Amino acid sequence: MKKFISIAALCLLVLAVTAVGEERPWMDMKNCDFCKAFTAEKGLMEHMTKEYHAIASGVAMVTYVDKEYKEAFGRSMASCNAIAESMKKGEKHNTCQYCETYGSFMQAGSKQDDFTSHDAMVTVFSSTDPAVVTKMHDWAKKTNDAMAKMAHAE
């Protein structure tokens, strides 16, 4: 279960972002079951921020949630954990490209470490497989680029 505790990190961005040349959005806040767990909590998305950092063995993801929205964040995480558990049992769910890629790290045997500090939740994905590490770095870059594009659109 601990492995899925930060499954919530799958869907922490506010809007669906479509990368150039893609038919499907990178993130799909309307159709992805994981992402919808966060948009279902009124005001949550506007009161959290996310950072992605490439590290030698993978990616570090840092999530900041305003104090008054930590309970809403916890409910969203619980929803995502329930979805992940049902998927382990073979149930189908709608996912976006961001979430599919996130899930592929687990399927590839990546290690996931989660911890919470006073102000942030941190998830570190690591792998000893250089190809998986490269995929993680690409995922982080694509997500950071999408977030920057979103910030400029606002």
Side-chain angles (χ1 to χ4, degrees):
M1 180 107 168
K2 179 73 174 165
K3 198 169 203 177
F4 291 102
I5 202 114
S6 72
I7 199 83
L10 292 171
C11 304
L12 297 179
L13 299 177
V14 178
L15 302 172
V17 178
T18 304
V20 176
E22 292 181 353
E23 292 181 24
R24 289 180 44 214
W26 178 241
M27 299 190 73
D28 189 343
M29 306 311 274
K30 292 180 181 178
N31 297 308
C32 175
D33 293 338
F34 288 103
C35 294
K36 287 191 297 187
F38 291 90
T39 58
E41 291 289 340
K42 186 174 176 139
L44 175 60
M45 299 305 292
E46 295 81 14
H47 292 275
M48 54 192 304
T49 57
K50 188 82 174 149
E51 299 173 0
Y52 296 79
H53 304 279
I55 59 174
S57 61
V59 173
M61 300 175 292
V62 184
T63 304
Y64 301 94
V65 180
D66 291 345
K67 184 179 177 180
E68 59 274 9
Y69 285 86
K70 288 192 186 273
E71 286 183 25
F73 181 72
R75 288 189 299 270
S76 295
M77 287 179 58
S79 293
C80 287
N81 291 335
I83 294 166
E85 288 299 317
S86 73
M87 289 179 84
K88 285 174 45 177
K89 296 174 185 172
E91 293 179 30
K92 301 289 183 193
H93 288 274
N94 292 322
T95 57
C96 61
Q97 290 186 66
Y98 172 94
C99 294
E100 287 172 13
T101 305
Y102 185 106
S104 74
F105 302 149
M106 289 183 211
Q107 292 173 342
S110 300
K111 183 177 179 190
Q112 180 178 330
D113 294 297
D114 304 292
F115 62 91
T116 302
S117 72
H118 177 69
D119 294 324
M121 181 182 116
V122 179
T123 298
V124 177
F125 271 123
S126 58
S127 177
T128 57
D129 182 340
V132 175
V133 171
T134 297
K135 186 175 182 179
M136 289 176 179
H137 289 175
D138 292 344
W139 176 78
K141 181 182 181 333
K142 188 169 187 174
T143 302
N144 283 331
D145 290 349
M147 289 174 26
K149 184 177 178 181
M150 227 176 19
H152 285 92
E154 294 175 356

